[in-house]
Amino acid sequence: MKVLVTGGASGLGAAITRELAGDKDNFVYFTYCRAAENARQLEAEHPNVKGVHCDFNQEASIRSLMEEMGGWQLEALVNNALTGFLKKHFHKLDSEELLSSFRQNVLPVVLITQAALGTFRKQRFGKIITILSSALANKPPVGWSEYVANKAYLLAMSKAWAAEYAKFNITANCISPTFMPTPLNADMDSRLVEEMKKSYPLQELLQPEEVAQTVHFLLKSTQQINGVNLLMNQGADIL
């Protein structure tokens, strides 16, 4: 299977790239922005991966990626990339911060998914997997309104994709993982992380490799699985 993983050179994305590259029947394209060294290492480790630079802050870079995608004959897209998020109380957010966040973390996903669908519809097959957050399930952390709103938008989009393109044998599913030890969370106080760990039913943190395995499962699964959002937080929330 030919797969594109956005943000696939670091953190969760790197775990997904490695997991999928372990299946020699896959060829994995992945995007990176600042993690050029990681990208080269992944390419050195796996002959069936190719890194492509893409800066989600630059529309020209996104458009360039979309043009390249047309020649890849993709069968699956994993929307994983995140440029970052603001940890800020809602009343302190200004309109430009919200617009900038949407342009950087939502609009690129929409545009890249549209490009992938151009191929999927022609070949009447495709899989879209979008990484969200378990913060959507219940009570979001204080100061995460911008992040959670973006993820909620993508969840609604994924449901629309599932409904609109099922007749083309295209699926759209999501995975909503809880906190993971990745570079995105590197600045979190270790004491808070330990408290969080103790609060979980299994009293251990979710690992990126576990989410990567779930991505792999969805890519190999029947097209009967469509419109699903898999919550990965040890049963802390029951949907």
Side-chain angles (χ1 to χ4, degrees):
M1 180 176 287
K2 294 179 180 178
V3 187
L4 170 61
V5 180
T6 64
S10 62
L12 174 59
I16 295 171
T17 298
R18 285 193 171 93
E19 169 70 24
L20 301 184
D23 184 340
K24 301 309 178 186
D25 290 333
N26 291 333
F27 191 93
V28 185
Y29 298 92
F30 66 91
T31 70
Y32 66 93
C33 183
R34 294 179 293 273
E37 184 176 341
N38 290 358
R40 288 192 293 269
Q41 182 177 344
L42 283 166
E43 290 176 326
E45 290 175 3
H46 302 282
N48 57 334
V49 306
K50 176 178 173 57
V52 180
H53 181 267
C54 182
D55 185 348
F56 274 26
N57 295 306
Q58 301 293 329
E59 184 178 352
S61 185
I62 297 166
R63 295 292 180 184
S64 176
L65 171 67
M66 292 167 63
E67 288 179 11
E68 285 195 64
M69 288 170 61
W72 292 347
Q73 296 182 310
L74 291 175
E75 297 161 279
L77 168 66
V78 181
N79 289 314
N80 167 75
L82 181 71
T83 65
F85 67 96
L86 293 170
K87 296 178 182 178
K88 199 172 185 180
H89 285 81
F90 174 74
H91 69 277
K92 295 182 179 180
L93 290 167
D94 61 43
S95 59
E96 184 51 42
E97 286 175 322
L98 292 169
L99 285 171
S100 176
S101 172
F102 187 88
R103 284 194 295 264
Q104 294 172 13
N105 290 311
V106 176
L107 192 55
V109 178
V110 172
L111 293 174
I112 291 167
T113 302
Q114 284 181 325
L117 281 166
T119 298
F120 296 168
R121 291 175 73 252
K122 289 177 183 176
Q123 61 198 21
R124 301 192 71 84
F125 178 85
K127 290 177 178 284
I128 305 166
I129 299 172
T130 304
I131 305 298
L132 301 177
S133 168
S134 68
L136 292 172
N138 199 341
K139 185 178 179 181
V142 173
W144 282 31
S145 59
E146 168 264 338
Y147 173 76
V148 173
N150 285 346
K151 292 297 187 180
Y153 187 99
L154 291 176
L155 174 59
M157 272 290 183
S158 184
K159 290 179 180 180
W161 301 334
E164 289 187 29
Y165 302 108
K167 63 185 178 182
F168 291 94
N169 198 29
I170 298 167
T171 62
N173 295 297
C174 300
I175 300 173
S176 288
T178 189
F179 177 90
M180 292 174 285
T182 67
L184 183 66
N185 300 311
D187 63 343
M188 184 168 284
D189 190 308
S190 60
R191 293 168 295 181
L192 293 177
V193 174
E194 193 60 31
E195 288 178 14
M196 189 186 307
K197 182 178 177 180
K198 291 177 180 177
S199 72
Y200 290 145
L202 297 178
Q203 296 194 347
E204 60 185 39
L205 297 178
L206 177 66
Q207 297 300 313
E209 291 75 16
E210 295 175 289
V211 180
Q213 290 163 10
T214 307
V215 171
H216 200 175
F217 161 75
L218 285 175
L219 289 180
K220 294 177 72 69
S221 67
T222 169
Q223 298 296 85
Q224 297 282 354
I225 300 178
N226 191 20
V228 170
N229 179 22
L230 290 177
L231 183 63
M232 298 186 70
N233 69 347
Q234 306 176 24
D237 296 294
I238 306 297
L239 298 181

